[in-house]
Amino acid sequence: PEAIELVARRARGSLRDSQSLFDQLLAYGQKEISAVDVHQLLGTAPDERLIELGDSLVNRQPAQALALTNKVLSEGTQIGEFLNQLVDYVRDLMILAAGAHNLQLGSVSDSRRDVLDVQAKSWGLHTVLAALQILTETQLKFARVLSGRSLLDLAIVRLSLLDELDDLGKLTQMLLDPSAGQGAGDTTPKGQPRSGDSSPQKRPLELRPGRPSSPPRSLSTPSPGGLASALDRSEPADAG
């Protein structure tokens, strides 16, 4: 049953692709076809390796993630197929992080949904979106370069160093709107001092009614006669 499920996931609902894969598996000449045979034929990694790598990425362990990647490739997994599996795996994390639990998983068996659900919640939706963008960009570059292994390792390290973007989004919102940082249990009205805050509060300015100020006195212009008499008084008396 596990081998049939792998073929169905690989065919992505295409009956023709399913028949082609079964014909290739039957060419082995074995009486029973196991999941290992399917992975060897397709050049893909088993579900356990994807989940282990997912744990190292979510826990931000770049050294362990690179070691697991090297182990997967040494077991016969093709780089291009493994990159495609990682894209499908992170896509499944995005589905779970977005709450679309009724959609079928495409990277691993549906029996491992609980494990991926824990990883999706730990990483957060925004971080998962950033991880998926990194992998899709790596896919586009993969067909145009010769050093595909370097591109894959670079993507693995970048994924393992992603920050919790969901928390950064909440922090940005708190900086833009300080009132959003009040907890649910904080019932202090906005603008009022919280309990335990001993800092002095500024009193608002109060306008009190007072005596109206008297208007400034106007400067009167002296008459010509008064100005002449003032000049006469200022001249010294004639001694003769």
Side-chain angles (χ1 to χ4, degrees):
E2 186 178 357
I4 297 177
E5 182 183 355
L6 285 175
V7 172
R9 289 208 312 258
R10 178 68 178 185
R12 300 180 185 275
S14 174
L15 180 60
R16 180 178 299 180
D17 292 343
S18 299
Q19 291 178 346
S20 176
L21 291 175
F22 276 121
D23 292 339
Q24 297 179 48
L25 291 171
L26 292 174
Y28 279 169
Q30 299 180 1
K31 294 182 179 180
E32 295 183 0
I33 300 175
S34 64
V36 177
D37 297 329
V38 178
H39 285 301
Q40 289 179 353
L41 174 64
L42 301 178
T44 54
D47 295 355
E48 291 75 14
R49 294 288 182 264
L50 293 175
I51 293 175
E52 290 175 359
L53 181 60
D55 286 335
S56 63
L57 295 178
V58 172
N59 294 326
R60 295 169 179 79
Q61 299 172 337
Q64 183 176 355
L66 288 175
L68 287 172
T69 302
N70 185 73
K71 183 178 181 179
V72 168
L73 297 180
S74 64
E75 293 174 347
T77 304
Q78 301 297 320
I79 297 179
E81 296 296 337
F82 185 55
L83 182 58
N84 294 335
Q85 283 185 284
L86 289 179
V87 172
D88 291 338
Y89 190 86
V90 177
R91 176 256 182 190
D92 290 342
L93 294 180
M94 178 189 66
I95 289 175
L96 296 175
H101 298 283
N102 57 331
L103 297 182
Q104 187 177 1
L105 301 181
S107 62
V108 296
S109 174
D110 199 70
S111 61
R112 313 307 297 269
R113 180 182 292 267
D114 294 340
V115 179
L116 269 67
D117 192 29
V118 173
Q119 293 179 354
K121 291 180 180 178
S122 178
W123 226 358
L125 179 58
H126 290 85
T127 308
V128 172
L129 294 177
L132 187 58
Q133 184 175 3
I134 291 174
L135 290 174
T136 53
E137 291 176 354
T138 305
Q139 270 187 323
L140 295 176
K141 297 177 182 178
F142 183 79
R144 301 194 300 265
V145 298
L146 298 176
S147 56
R149 176 64 187 273
S150 300
L151 275 181
L152 178 61
D153 290 341
L154 175 62
I156 293 297
V157 173
R158 291 179 64 188
L159 293 177
S160 62
L161 297 180
L162 283 176
D163 294 326
E164 297 180 0
L165 300 183
D166 283 353
D167 292 342
L168 292 179
K170 294 177 182 178
L171 179 60
T172 303
Q173 184 179 3
M174 291 175 59
L175 292 176
L176 296 176
D177 185 9
S179 62
Q182 291 186 352
D186 187 5
T187 58
T188 304
K190 184 177 178 180
Q192 297 294 329
R194 299 182 180 181
S195 58
D197 188 2
S198 58
S199 58
Q201 303 294 329
K202 294 183 177 180
R203 298 181 59 184
L205 293 176
E206 297 181 359
L207 299 178
R208 298 180 179 180
R211 295 178 59 186
S213 55
S214 56
R217 297 180 179 178
S218 58
L219 297 178
S220 57
T221 303
S223 59
L227 179 61
S229 60
L231 292 176
D232 295 338
R233 290 194 298 271
S234 61
E235 291 179 357
D238 189 0

